[in-house]
Amino acid sequence: MKVLTVNFLTCAVKACKGTALSFPLHFRDAELVQQEMDFHPTFVRNVLLRVDWEGLKVTAAELGFTTLPAEKPEGEALDNEQLLKDLHTLLLETQVTEGKLVCGNCQHEYAIKEGIPNFLLPNHLGSAPKSEAAFVE
Amino acid sequence: MAQYLIRLVQVHESFRKPEIFALAALENINVEVLSYDESSPFCTVKLHDEAAARALISRSILSKAIFELWATSSTYKDLHAAIRQNTASKWVHYKDCSFKFEVDAYQGKRSAAAQKELIESFSYMGFNGPIVMRGADETFCIFEEWDGSGTSLKQVWMGRLVARGSRDAITTYDLKKRCYISTTSMDAELALLTANLALAAPGKVIYDPFVGTGSFLFAAAHFGAYVTGSDIDGRSIRGKDRKRNVKANFKQYGLEGRFLDAWVADITNNPLRAGRWLDGIVCDPPYGVREGLKVLGTRDQARMKEVFYLENGEAAHL
Ligand SMILES: [Zn+2]
């Protein structure tokens, strides 16, 4: 599971949605691997617009990357190829193969196996769809 | 502005115009449709120039190719008259290049001898270059549309090839040659078409919430998008073994570099963060017919009835 994907996801429990503590999810017992991916500067620039920077700083620090700029780079800062490469390495090449993602609000643990996180909820945390309400969130 | 002829395929007819408009939106091209009929594979459009024509059709799944339209008429007599009258100034450009002529008779049949005779009837344009069957500099085509019984000719067109569509990709992503598929894998043609309708393109993020064995993701990644997906059934993502799973398919197609992740989730209790981080969602929603729909977390029997989703995305109980 890539660091970028973690930045796009949060706790699946409805009551946690939007709470400050539920994002980002926290890695626990994470086994890291680096997997080389093609470097596309345009994609990194593009995807940075969608990244929650505060969330990314938390995730990065938990994985031992402590050199992220305090503010999200924008404008001329994005002409710095080395910065884009570093972000590419963090967002796309740094992957968690085994471990857990933990919600800071409800403490629920989501297992990651073979790089695939599982967000299915046990009965007491989930809820059946109520007509179209499930899609409206 | 100039007129172009798009040679469509006669399948998935109702998606043909939407695909053209999607590609026009993606490439920021003004397209005016001059003639189109659901029962015909020939569509004429007005476009700014040849570059626009090429950009419009190069990605198309439901177009075979686009041609610069030289003339059209309901009879050959009038077609030749129009070619002589309107295109004589173009002929000199093609005097010496290698070329070939093709005959494309829709709902009609022409023997090889009849095709040759037909092609020779255009010799007055004075193309003296070598005739080459493969890799010709220019390809000209005579199109015929016959009525359903194949007895009377309805319309003829003559044009010069500008660009071919992307129908080759259908073969590349053919399910028969894919490492890992299941009974519900979306066929390559529809998956690629969907990726076009969703405007999948480089730098974008596309998501499939019912990812299954990944068909839509490969199609969107083929067009340059970065892709991610989820499924309620983790087995479909993990696959059968190390060589037959979603990731292995990405490897087979050399698209691993655009695969963000696949995760296990129930769309009714999904972990998607609010905010505009997606460019598009492509999916084949479960209708509870072929595989049945699984909903987790049901607390009482009344709610355990099967749920299916209507085309407008609303859930309904059977
Ligand atoms: Zn939670």
Side-chain angles (χ1 to χ4, degrees):
Chain A
M1 184 187 199
K2 298 172 175 63
V3 168
L4 179 61
T5 313
V6 176
N7 198 266
F8 288 155
L9 303 179
T10 179
C11 183
V13 175
K14 285 195 168 72
C16 286
K17 287 278 165 77
T19 62
L21 290 172
S22 66
F23 181 84
L25 297 172
H26 304 284
F27 280 120
R28 191 172 289 167
D29 310 327
E31 286 178 27
L32 285 180
V33 292
Q34 290 293 129
Q35 192 197 327
E36 209 168 300
M37 299 260 292
D38 306 339
F39 173 53
H40 298 291
T42 318
F43 178 71
V44 179
R45 283 193 198 97
N46 236 341
V47 87
L48 265 187
L49 300 170
R50 304 117 189 265
V51 163
D52 181 303
W53 191 255
E54 292 308 309
L56 180 65
K57 282 197 292 188
V58 173
T59 306
E62 286 175 1
L63 295 177
F65 294 81
T66 52
T67 54
L68 276 192
E71 303 291 329
K72 187 193 280 196
E74 48 188 45
E76 281 176 19
L78 294 176
D79 296 336
N80 180 342
E81 178 123 334
Q82 189 55 48
L83 174 70
L84 294 181
K85 272 193 180 143
D86 290 347
L87 285 167
H88 166 78
T89 301
L90 173 65
L91 291 168
L92 295 171
E93 297 189 325
T94 306
Q95 307 182 9
V96 172
T97 51
E98 303 285 328
K100 295 180 188 101
L101 277 170
V102 184
C103 172
N105 193 55
C106 71
Q107 309 305 322
H108 188 69
E109 293 181 348
Y110 299 98
I112 302 167
K113 284 180 188 158
E114 295 172 34
I116 302 171
N118 185 341
F119 290 94
L120 296 179
L121 298 172
N123 278 359
H124 68 281
L125 287 176
S127 60
K130 299 177 187 75
S131 73
E132 72 268 38
F135 280 93
V136 173
E137 306 213 352
Chain B
M1 298 295 272
Q3 292 190 19
Y4 294 86
L5 174 74
I6 302 174
R7 173 52 162 105
L8 300 161
V9 289
Q10 201 58 30
V11 291
H12 306 303
E13 290 89 344
S14 61
F15 288 118
R16 299 183 304 181
K17 263 215 278 193
E19 191 199 33
I20 289 170
F21 289 132
L23 295 172
L26 191 62
E27 300 290 340
N28 204 12
I29 291 167
N30 272 322
V31 51
E32 183 188 338
V33 175
L34 301 172
S35 72
Y36 175 85
D37 194 287
E38 212 83 313
S39 67
S40 168
F42 303 110
C43 166
T44 53
V45 294
K46 205 183 256 188
L47 295 166
H48 184 65
D49 58 13
E50 197 165 314
R54 188 171 288 114
L56 182 67
I57 293 305
S58 297
R59 271 183 59 160
S60 175
I61 296 302
L62 298 183
S63 308
K64 286 187 177 178
I66 188 163
F67 298 81
E68 180 185 60
L69 183 61
W70 283 27
T72 180
S73 180
S74 55
T75 67
Y76 271 107
K77 184 171 167 287
D78 291 346
L79 183 81
H80 286 300
I83 290 173
R84 284 177 193 276
Q85 191 178 344
N86 303 327
T87 72
S89 63
K90 292 179 193 280
W91 300 352
V92 62
H93 302 306
Y94 307 105
K95 201 163 69 74
D96 301 317
C97 64
S98 67
F99 73 100
K100 70 168 172 173
F101 259 85
E102 291 177 351
V103 177
D104 181 349
Y106 178 66
Q107 295 185 146
K109 279 202 183 98
R110 292 247 177 211
S111 66
Q115 285 194 20
K116 191 161 181 281
E117 194 183 335
L118 181 60
I119 290 167
E120 279 167 3
S121 72
F122 287 81
S123 59
Y124 55 84
M125 291 188 286
F127 299 169
N128 298 320
I131 296 169
V132 181
M133 284 304 116
R134 275 169 166 266
D137 292 333
E138 300 290 345
T139 299
F140 297 88
C141 194
I142 303 152
F143 302 91
E144 299 180 335
E145 183 169 4
W146 295 75
D147 69 352
S149 60
T151 49
S152 78
L153 188 59
K154 288 165 69 180
Q155 189 76 13
V156 287
W157 296 261
M158 188 268 170
R160 182 179 62 85
L161 177 68
V162 172
R164 297 196 188 277
S166 272
R167 292 190 62 75
D168 287 354
I170 299 170
T171 313
T172 308
Y173 295 95
D174 188 346
L175 293 180
K176 290 194 208 81
K177 295 181 284 181
R178 189 175 297 169
C179 297
Y180 167 58
I181 57 166
S182 78
T183 53
T184 56
S185 295
M186 177 59 70
D187 87 78
E189 183 171 21
L190 280 171
L192 289 158
L193 166 64
T194 306
N196 269 344
L197 294 174
L199 314 184
K204 292 189 176 180
V205 181
I206 301 282
Y207 168 55
D208 181 352
F210 307 100
V211 70
T213 58
S215 300
F216 282 122
L217 299 194
F218 314 133
H222 170 73
F223 291 120
Y226 281 70
V227 295
T228 185
S230 64
D231 203 285
I232 196 169
D233 188 350
R235 292 171 303 181
S236 70
I237 299 168
R238 286 189 294 271
K240 299 189 171 78
D241 52 48
R242 292 184 62 134
K243 284 187 177 157
R244 288 179 297 171
N245 56 58
V246 170
K247 202 170 176 181
N249 284 344
F250 274 98
K251 272 199 193 123
Q252 179 187 349
Y253 296 130
L255 295 172
E256 293 159 282
R258 297 185 194 145
F259 178 39
L260 294 181
D261 268 307
W263 70 87
V264 186
D266 175 355
I267 193 67
T268 63
N269 288 285
N270 69 69
L272 304 172
R273 164 164 74 75
R276 307 190 74 164
W277 54 270
L278 280 172
D279 294 280
I281 296 177
V282 290
C283 66
D284 178 24
Y287 293 89
V289 178
R290 261 187 303 185
E291 293 282 295
L293 181 74
K294 303 166 192 78
V295 174
L296 296 193
T298 50
R299 275 170 294 197
D300 55 55
Q301 285 298 314
R303 280 182 172 166
M304 289 183 74
K305 285 189 292 186
E306 259 196 321
V307 176
F308 67 98
Y309 294 95
L310 305 172
E311 272 176 275
N312 61 7
E314 283 185 33
H317 291 271
L318 289 174

